[in-house]
């Protein structure tokens, strides 16, 4: 009987671990550990997005107060004081625009994560997201260091998901198209931020350099 069992094992050996088909299936439909990491990354992204919204709201209040001082100084024909306040408004708006860009990029990343969790396809879906997270980490470190650190942690989490999901295709390199998509996401976020700035923030009096012009000079 033992010989029959040995022959059966030799003829149809049991795999020691998940085969290629299983790994492909796990990539398309991530197993619970990967889904948990994606859910945690999504939660952390939303927390950072809420923090950015709060910071932007406080800056917007500050902008309104300073803008009113510019107008009042002009009414009083105090051009020196008006110019001082206008310069402060311009700098503040540069920072607001930068934070808005980060906020919209985070929202795009969150949407992508939701799609990956719903539809699967981890490798294709997450590769550009990791690139965006790296850009945001560098982008935010100089503006809001604590959020930059959080983005670094989120990036490491998503990189581990991509690594685990992509073990069976370790011989493949990530196409440059993913880096291009990451760049496109950041550019689109910047464009939306620019539109919001124009819609929600009144222009400074023409006697002073506009914040938009100042932003262009500092690019």
């Amino acid at each position: 009987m033992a010989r029959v069992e040995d022959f059966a094992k030799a003829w149809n050996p049991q795999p020691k671990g998940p085969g290629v088909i299983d790994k492909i299936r796990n990539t398309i439909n991530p197993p619970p550990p990967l889904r948990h990491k994606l859910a945690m990354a999504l939660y952390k992204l939303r927390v950072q997005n809420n923090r950015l919204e709060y910071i932007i709201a406080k800056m917007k209040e500050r902008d309104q107060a300073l803008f009113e001082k510019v107008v009042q100084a002009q009414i009083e024909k105090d051009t020196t004081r008006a110019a001082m306040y206008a310069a402060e408004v311009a700098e503040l708006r540069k920072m607001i625009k930068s934070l808005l860009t980060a906020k919209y990029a985070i929202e795009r990343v969150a949407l992508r994560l939701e799609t990956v969790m719903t539809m699967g396809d981890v490798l294709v879906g997450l590769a550009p997201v990791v690139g965006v997270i790296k850009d945001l980490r560098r982008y935010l470190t100089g503006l809001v260091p604590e959020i930059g650190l959080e983005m670094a942690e989120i990036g490491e989490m998503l990189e581990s998901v991509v690594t685990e999901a992509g073990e069976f295709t370790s011989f493949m390199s990530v196409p440059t198209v993913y880096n291009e998509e990451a760049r496109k996401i950041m550019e689109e976020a910047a464009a939306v931020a620019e539109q919001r700035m124009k819609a929600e923030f009144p222009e400074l009096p023409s006697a002073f350099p506009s914040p938009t012009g100042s932003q262009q000079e500092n690019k």
Side-chain angles (χ1 to χ4, degrees):
M1 187 67 176
R3 290 181 179 178
V4 173
E5 291 177 355
D6 291 342
F7 176 79
K9 290 179 180 178
W11 181 259
N12 186 24
Q14 296 297 316
K16 296 181 180 180
V20 173
I21 299 300
D22 291 329
K23 290 180 179 179
I24 294 175
R25 186 180 297 113
N26 287 343
T27 301
I28 297 173
N29 186 23
L34 293 188
R35 285 182 175 275
H36 177 71
K37 286 185 178 181
L38 289 175
M40 284 299 298
L42 182 59
Y43 171 77
K44 288 177 176 291
L45 278 173
R46 287 173 174 161
V47 169
Q48 301 315 310
N49 197 48
N50 289 338
R51 292 175 69 182
L52 282 175
E53 280 191 6
Y54 176 78
I55 294 171
I56 291 168
K58 299 301 289 183
M59 286 185 169
K60 191 174 179 180
E61 291 177 3
R62 173 69 174 163
D63 175 88
Q64 183 177 356
L66 288 171
F67 184 84
E68 290 174 358
K69 290 183 177 181
V70 172
V71 174
Q72 184 61 36
Q74 274 206 315
I75 292 173
E76 296 172 357
K77 301 189 184 303
D78 188 342
T79 55
T80 300
R81 191 158 57 94
M84 178 185 68
Y85 287 132
E88 187 67 21
V89 168
E91 288 301 313
L92 185 60
R93 290 184 180 182
K94 281 170 54 183
M95 183 174 290
I96 292 173
K97 183 185 174 184
S98 296
L99 295 181
L100 281 172
T101 299
K103 176 181 179 299
Y104 291 130
I106 288 175
E107 289 177 359
R108 287 289 302 275
V109 169
L111 284 173
R112 176 63 62 88
L113 285 184
E114 289 174 354
T115 300
V116 169
M117 293 176 67
T118 302
M119 305 300 293
D121 208 358
V122 172
L123 289 179
V124 174
L126 285 188
V129 164
V130 172
V132 175
I133 293 295
K134 287 181 178 180
D135 287 344
L136 285 172
R137 179 191 64 198
R138 293 188 293 266
Y139 193 79
L140 287 166
T141 297
L143 297 171
V144 192
E146 59 271 25
I147 296 183
L149 289 174
E150 290 291 336
M151 296 306 294
E153 182 179 331
I154 294 169
E156 291 174 1
M157 189 179 300
L158 293 178
E159 281 184 339
S160 71
V161 172
V162 172
T163 300
E164 290 178 46
E167 285 179 352
F168 76 100
T169 56
S170 57
F171 60 91
M172 295 175 62
S173 60
V174 178
T176 55
V177 69
Y178 294 159
N179 295 328
E180 179 66 19
E181 187 176 349
R183 183 187 63 79
K184 184 178 178 182
I185 288 174
M186 290 299 295
E187 287 180 351
E188 289 175 352
V192 174
E194 179 72 26
Q195 291 173 2
R196 181 170 169 183
M197 293 296 296
K198 290 179 179 178
E200 297 186 10
F201 292 81
E203 291 187 10
L204 285 166
S206 58
F208 307 105
S210 68
T212 302
S214 178
Q215 290 165 7
Q216 295 294 330
E217 291 171 6
N218 283 275
K219 282 185 178 180

